[in-house]
Amino acid sequence: MFVQDLRNDFYRQLVGKRILIVVNYDIDAICASRILQALFKYDHMLYTVVPIMGVTGLKRAYEEHQGDVKYVVLVNCGGCVDIVELLQPADEVTFFICDSHRPLDVCNIYSDRQVCILGDASLEENIPAFETIFYDSEGEDEDEDESSDPEQQHDDSGAGESDQEDQAPRSRKLSRLERHEQRILKQRARRQWESERDRIMFEYTQFSYYGRSAALMVFELAWKLSKDNMDLLWWAIVGITEQLLLGKIESGAYTLELEEIQSHVSRLTNKTNDQNTMSASKITFENDLHLVLYRHWPVTESMRYSRYSSCQLKLWTLRGEKRLHELLLEMGLPLVHARQTYGAMDLVLRKEFFSMVERLAEKYDIADIVYGTFTLSYGYRSRYAAADYVYALLAIMESVKKHKTPEDCFLEASDALSRQHKQLLSAGIDQAKLLHAAVFRQVQSSLEARQVHSAGSFFYYVLQEEHAFFSYPYALGLLARFLLRGHVATSRARQAPDLPLIASCPLNASEGMCLLVGIVPVREDSPRNFFGKAFEQAAQKSGVALLQDFFEPAVVQLRQSDLTRFLDSLTVLLA
Amino acid sequence: MSRQTKMFGEKAFDLLKELERSSQTIPAFDDDGVRQVLEEIKAIFEENVAQASSYNASGDRSLWPLLNFRHAALQRNKRCLLAYLYERCRRIKALRWEFGPIIPGDIKQALCEPEVTFFNNYSKSLAAYMCSAGYNQGLPIDLTNNLRPPKSLYIEVRCMEDYGKFELDDGEVIHLKKNSQHYLPRAQVESLVRQGILHHIA
């Protein structure tokens, strides 16, 4: 069931109790869990935070940490699977789900008391009505009982009045025929109802998309409890920026949320007393550029490695490079300065950089490069845009090494959010630079070698050997999006912008598993992804063992050897 | 032809070198060494006394530097011995803060009788102080629990290794698995933090 009044129905229920927080492996979830932890600390509620990566991880974590816990909060996980069936919890355990994945599982929505989904039911779309999916099968059972009972009665009561006996068999026979007909009619109706239900469910679960950011929802709870502050607001901003940058929500939805966040920012900035000192922590709203980490890099590099500018100007070709130099020339930015780190450029140039790019954006066809976002500045030197945080955290999360497990990376990313651990954030930014440079190089080599193949209704791209960066879902997703845009920019086929892309990369050579990611076409504005269902059906048809473990349904794992068979059946399916 | 000249103060220096080598633990009380130093002191003193009394008789001043030299050697031996004993006492005091009022058996063997008495007396003084410091509440404050004053009732900890189940005072069972983060009452998880199983996140 939906819980809209977070303060009374969610928070007040949890005060004084012990809570298990299960967190999914993505940035929005990390931000939401940090905000939740800060809230719980105020009221001294004991909690335990467990990071997980997929459905099996969720099951394992629940089984291990079950203990005496009566309240479990699932952050960005578990909304789309039937929790009660998956985890088989005891009756007193209550689950609170704060998930931005959609579509939500119907069993979770219509559960009575065990599963509570935080959010507004009216904002959700297309939830099937209860009657259309859950069949009230009690009526039919009663009928069956009735039809068998009178016969038994007749057998038992041997002695009876003859009149009644004469009449009874006749009415019984008639009604038996009638009843038989009725039963057939009912069965037909039932079958019809079932096919209708399958159709509704298919339509409901066909597209997977994302709803409101979990971090933002938890921040609103903090606001209603009057326990919000700049730190929590900043984490909420990072959460929603992640949704925009990784293509989970469309820019329209993002702009809608911006207004609300701006009101929070102005309220909190006016609350603090020391807003006049230079070194106070401030969050400012400004129009910023879609250039990756441009404050920490030379301008040329950030232009080259950002997906939007790179694909519009085609910066992996020689001609593209020339256009970039033209653009810099018109902006009045000397090449010497453009090749140095942003912080080392002249102050005048830095101040004018944004306005110059904005002015020339139309001419060079990079109009969408400007977008509204927030910047955090504290102390005299630190100034970070929300996007910087997102990319740094992404890089940290995917920096799994031999002695560094995914949980270590998760905890490191969680630490990097707090302002005390600035060196973790800087390390993350460096790592993110390497990641983006690697993505660009890969895209360049793939486009030149024409490694993106078309399978009629979609493109596919297969990496042959495992890569330090691209064997992880988010990095592979970044690469795939960049590649698709680049391919669309260079190819002359008319339907190129309408075709989606499937990218695959081996996970580890020893087990022979590989990771598969599906990306929506370029022309589609909304990030509704139908690949979840498509993968499932293709796997069924071709008999391939598919591991749809992650909570993002468009990311799956399968065996390297099954890849071709799977792609063939997918081609047939989507044709 | 090499003559092995024995310097004054060598044995005392050896004692101190031994102590310096094992800087954290307390080595066994070098009974022998201390006795040798004491004997050396005695020998030098006797020589000096003999020389001083001979001076009284003869009035010969030419051997005065030798007297001074022996006196200096005496004082040096005394200083080394005192430093040795004092350093050991200091480490014993630290023992009380780390291990509590009972000395572990293997360390006890390294201490001599007076040192054990010293430890017990120190323990007693500390306990009396802790009692008096907490006389408002009627309970002694265990100062040895935290080396820094605690700031809050609950602390956030991260689990460094798999520990298994841990039961709190009110019966709640917490499963301590590697890399899980918890928020627990300070008093009960302090021992785990000290052992290094949980890491306190500031």
Side-chain angles (χ1 to χ4, degrees), chain A residues 291-327:
Chain A
L291 293 178
V292 171
L293 300 176
Y294 77 89
R295 283 190 194 82
H296 308 270
W297 250 357
V299 170
T300 45
E301 302 219 343
S302 90
M303 285 229 160
R304 204 179 303 149
Y305 298 148
S306 316
R307 180 179 75 228
Y308 183 71
S309 57
S310 189
C311 293
Q312 297 294 105
L313 299 172
K314 298 200 198 36
L315 289 178
W316 55 85
T317 57
L318 220 53
R319 224 167 22 136
E321 287 282 335
K322 289 210 190 99
R323 284 212 80 190
L324 177 66
H325 289 171
E326 275 179 34
L327 171 65

Side-chain angles (χ1 to χ4, degrees), chain A residues 40-61:
Chain A
F40 289 158
K41 271 190 226 172
Y42 276 121
D43 276 314
H44 295 307
M45 300 197 277
L46 308 182
Y47 63 80
T48 304
V49 175
V50 184
I52 55 148
M53 213 176 339
V55 178
T56 38
L58 173 61
K59 212 161 164 194
R60 192 173 30 104

Side-chain angles (χ1 to χ4, degrees), chain A residues 361-382:
Chain A
E362 280 293 335
K363 181 174 173 206
Y364 283 86
D365 210 15
I366 43 173
D368 278 340
I369 206 169
V370 181
Y371 75 117
T373 186
F374 296 89
T375 320
L376 174 74
S377 52
Y378 59 93
Y380 289 102
R381 264 211 241 162
S382 324

Side-chain angles (χ1 to χ4, degrees), chain A residues 70-105:
Chain A
K70 300 263 181 325
Y71 294 94
V72 184
V73 176
L74 300 174
V75 181
N76 260 1
C77 55
C80 309
V81 293
D82 188 359
I83 288 291
V84 176
E85 198 184 306
L86 178 72
L87 299 178
Q88 309 275 335
D91 261 347
E92 316 94 45
V93 183
T94 319
F95 291 91
F96 291 97
I97 303 186
C98 185
D99 198 347
S100 62
H101 295 103
R102 301 277 180 276
L104 297 168
D105 191 274

Side-chain angles (χ1 to χ4, degrees), chain B residues 92-107:
Chain B
I92 293 172
K93 277 198 258 180
L95 258 188
R96 169 63 181 89
W97 285 85
E98 219 177 280
F99 287 108
I102 319 244
I103 322 175
D106 48 351
I107 300 190

Side-chain angles (χ1 to χ4, degrees), chain A residues 10-11 14 19-24 26-51 73 75 214-215 218-219 221-222 225 227 229 231-232 235 410-418 421, chain B residues 154-158 179-184 199 201-202:
Chain A
F10 168 59
Y11 194 73
L14 292 177
I19 308 160
L20 174 67
I21 307 180
V22 181
V23 187
N24 190 20
D26 67 83
I27 298 174
D28 191 20
I30 295 181
C31 296
S33 80
R34 282 302 292 259
I35 302 181
L36 265 182
Q37 283 175 45
L39 281 182
F40 289 158
K41 271 190 226 172
Y42 276 121
D43 276 314
H44 295 307
M45 300 197 277
L46 308 182
Y47 63 80
T48 304
V49 175
V50 184
V73 176
V75 181
V218 184
F219 177 75
L221 168 67
L225 292 169
K227 291 188 182 142
N229 55 32
D231 279 336
L232 301 186
W235 294 337
F410 179 91
L411 293 173
E412 209 182 298
S414 181
D415 281 340
L417 269 181
S418 64
H421 295 115
Chain B
Y154 295 84
I155 49 171
E156 190 169 0
V157 289
R158 193 173 288 173
N179 284 331
S180 54
Q181 205 159 322
H182 309 267
Y183 186 68
L184 300 170
H199 171 66
I201 303 181

Side-chain angles (χ1 to χ4, degrees), chain B residues 2-194:
Chain B
S2 58
R3 247 182 343 151
Q4 189 134 29
T5 39
K6 193 167 177 306
M7 269 198 325
F8 289 145
E10 241 180 33
K11 190 63 198 147
F13 187 52
D14 279 340
L15 278 180
L16 286 177
K17 266 199 287 195
E18 178 73 38
L19 199 59
E20 177 72 19
R21 238 175 259 139
S22 50
S23 60
Q24 283 308 319
T25 58
I26 306 182
F29 188 74
D30 199 354
D31 217 18
D32 239 1
V34 168
R35 204 173 308 130
Q36 279 181 18
V37 175
L38 285 173
E39 279 175 11
E40 191 177 314
I41 294 180
K42 201 156 161 217
I44 304 176
F45 184 64
E46 309 258 279
E47 279 183 36
N48 254 2
V49 162
Q51 192 169 352
S53 57
S54 82
Y55 167 69
N56 272 340
S58 65
D60 188 0
R61 274 214 200 140
S62 64
L63 289 181
W64 261 11
L66 187 54
L67 218 56
N68 270 329
F69 166 71
R70 282 207 200 96
H71 193 67
L74 253 178
Q75 280 183 325
R76 172 147 173 88
N77 272 334
K78 183 176 170 191
R79 267 202 303 271
C80 287
L81 258 187
L82 284 177
Y84 180 71
L85 293 172
Y86 181 71
E87 174 65 19
R88 287 181 69 91
C89 283
R90 205 177 57 79
R91 290 192 195 171
I92 293 172
K93 277 198 258 180
L95 258 188
R96 169 63 181 89
W97 285 85
E98 219 177 280
F99 287 108
I102 319 244
I103 322 175
D106 48 351
I107 300 190
K108 195 163 182 179
Q109 285 175 359
L111 304 177
C112 66
E113 270 294 322
E115 286 180 334
V116 174
T117 329
F118 170 76
F119 181 86
N120 290 331
N121 285 338
Y122 182 72
S123 250
K124 244 183 268 172
S125 312
L126 188 61
Y129 179 64
M130 293 200 285
C131 267
S132 75
Y135 78 100
N136 277 333
Q137 291 101 345
L139 296 164
I141 308 178
D142 194 1
L143 293 171
T144 59
N145 223 347
N146 314 305
L147 286 179
R148 263 177 252 120
K151 291 268 190 284
S152 58
L153 281 176
Y154 295 84
I155 49 171
E156 190 169 0
V157 289
R158 193 173 288 173
C159 200
M160 292 279 116
E161 44 196 55
D162 274 333
Y163 182 75
K165 298 220 179 284
F166 178 71
E167 192 167 334
L168 290 181
D169 279 351
D170 49 356
E172 300 264 3
V173 175
I174 312 220
H175 188 103
L176 292 176
K177 190 158 194 290
K178 183 159 192 243
N179 284 331
S180 54
Q181 205 159 322
H182 309 267
Y183 186 68
L184 300 170
R186 172 183 276 272
Q188 297 161 33
V189 295
E190 200 108 49
S191 55
L192 289 177
V193 173
R194 187 85 65 75

